Amino acid sequence: MSLTYAVVTPARNERANLGRLAESLTAQMLLPAHWVIVDDGSDDGTDDLGAKFAAEHDWIVVCMPEPATDGQLTEGRREGRDLLAFRRGAAALPTAVDVLVKVDADTSFDPDYFATLMRRFAEQPDLGIAGGCCYELEDGEWVRQKVAGTHPRGASRAYRWACYEEALKLEPKMGWDGLDEVQASLMGYRTAIFNDFGFRHHRPTGGRERDRLRASAVLGSASWYMGYRPSYLLLRALYGTRRDPVALAMVWGYASAALRRTPRCPEAGAVRHLREQQRLRVLLTRGANP
């Protein structure tokens, strides 16, 4: 018996992408029990398109914005706005599911993607957060993005329900989708990327940011909030310069947040565990996702 799953998609002005994602989901060999589209204050017709899909399929649900809390995505993204939208979508699920998947609107999947992913969750009871590998378009070719083998990409992350419930405890701050992996580990679950299947990400990471330098600095600030070791942050930034020199702005963002004494994650146990995983000896034994 297959595990049941639901998809939640936070969406702000995603009309151009939503149709492609809808085609991918409706073509799945194993359909989701529900697909919840969380409109985040769109003004391009995203909500109308979502409503059209919901009228065609009874397993599609549209969540409209909450005026009291919804604001600009450019600010909200840095405050973990996608976590708030993710939670709102999960709260709107008509029925319970075994696995909850956060899927960005700018993604697409082969028809067997979710059937394969659910099979992995069923076969591996200790799997808490997982996803296939991420491909992005580079010079006309789909190229697999290399990241740590324990860090499923934020564009498509699947949570066993117990791990999602732990994510509910996190503050809605940028960096939450790293701390949730720590929480899962503390619960005894593994997190993983599977390299034998994947999904396509049609907008490069940080693609909403008009200023790449600022985007990198924001990542540095998020790393401060998460409690990164300074040595690990520096190594990560230097490694990132192999592809983009502006990755060094992460160091500036981290140092700036430190000088301002910006508040850090209050989950002390999660921060301690994260910093332990960032020790050099641990990194050398854990490896990356080659």
Side-chain angles (χ1 to χ4, degrees):
M1 180 177 176
S2 297
L3 298 181
T4 59
Y5 75 99
V7 172
V8 173
T9 299
R12 177 178 172 84
N13 292 340
E14 293 286 6
R15 184 181 178 90
N17 289 312
L18 209 58
R20 179 179 55 231
L21 177 56
E23 288 181 7
S24 288
L25 292 180
T26 55
Q28 289 300 304
M29 294 168 52
L30 177 64
L31 287 173
H34 311 288
W35 177 28
V36 183
I37 303 168
V38 184
D39 182 58
D40 200 20
S42 301
D43 57 13
D44 70 338
T46 293
D47 52 346
D48 293 335
L49 186 58
K52 174 178 177 293
F53 297 148
E56 296 171 349
H57 303 280
D58 60 6
W59 47 274
I60 299 178
V61 178
V62 178
C63 271
M64 298 306 291
E66 296 177 349
T69 56
D70 284 10
Q72 293 297 318
L73 177 68
T74 52
E75 294 302 321
R77 177 178 176 274
R78 300 184 184 107
E79 293 300 315
R81 183 168 199 78
D82 51 349
L83 176 57
L84 293 174
F86 187 31
R87 290 173 176 171
R88 186 145 54 91
L93 290 175
T95 60
V97 292
D98 300 305
V99 177
L100 187 61
V101 194
K102 176 184 172 292
V103 170
D104 288 356
D106 54 4
T107 56
S108 63
F109 306 84
D110 289 336
D112 61 346
Y113 180 87
F114 286 103
T116 303
L117 185 57
M118 291 309 108
R119 187 162 58 247
R120 298 295 166 84
F121 271 98
E123 294 169 349
Q124 303 175 34
D126 64 338
L127 189 63
I129 306 175
C133 54
C134 174
Y135 289 84
E136 292 183 354
L137 201 58
E138 297 181 6
D139 298 324
E141 295 185 5
W142 289 101
V143 178
R144 180 165 64 87
Q145 304 301 297
K146 298 179 181 180
V147 296
T150 57
H151 180 62
R153 289 292 293 268
S156 178
R157 291 164 67 88
Y159 296 76
R160 196 177 293 275
W161 189 261
C163 289
Y164 164 71
E165 290 181 313
E166 281 300 300
L168 280 174
K169 301 176 183 178
L170 296 172
E171 285 189 317
K173 298 286 187 180
M174 190 174 178
W176 70 269
D177 55 351
L179 289 171
D180 58 358
E181 296 171 21
V182 178
Q183 296 280 46
S185 178
L186 289 172
M187 295 171 64
Y189 286 107
R190 292 186 302 108
T191 64
I193 293 177
F194 297 108
N195 285 335
D196 56 334
F197 67 101
F199 65 93
R200 292 170 293 278
H201 188 206
H202 295 267
R203 179 165 48 216
T205 302
R208 276 194 182 270
E209 296 285 352
R210 298 175 183 174
D211 185 337
R212 287 171 32 249
L213 195 67
R214 181 180 178 83
S216 186
V218 167
L219 286 175
S221 178
S223 298
W224 165 261
Y225 170 78
M226 294 170 67
Y228 271 39
R229 287 178 175 275
S231 56
Y232 179 84
L233 184 281
L234 179 59
L235 287 173
R236 180 181 174 185
L238 289 173
Y239 182 82
T241 60
R242 302 193 329 171
R243 294 185 57 187
D244 191 345
V246 303
L248 276 178
M250 289 178 63
V251 178
W252 178 84
Y254 183 94
S256 178
L259 290 171
R260 295 196 310 270
R261 296 187 178 181
T262 302
R264 309 187 84 170
C265 174
E267 299 289 339
V271 172
R272 281 196 302 271
H273 189 75
L274 175 69
R275 291 173 69 88
E276 178 62 27
Q277 294 301 304
Q278 291 176 347
R279 290 183 182 276
L280 183 58
R281 60 178 174 78
V282 176
L283 294 173
L284 290 174
T285 56
R286 187 177 64 183
N289 188 26

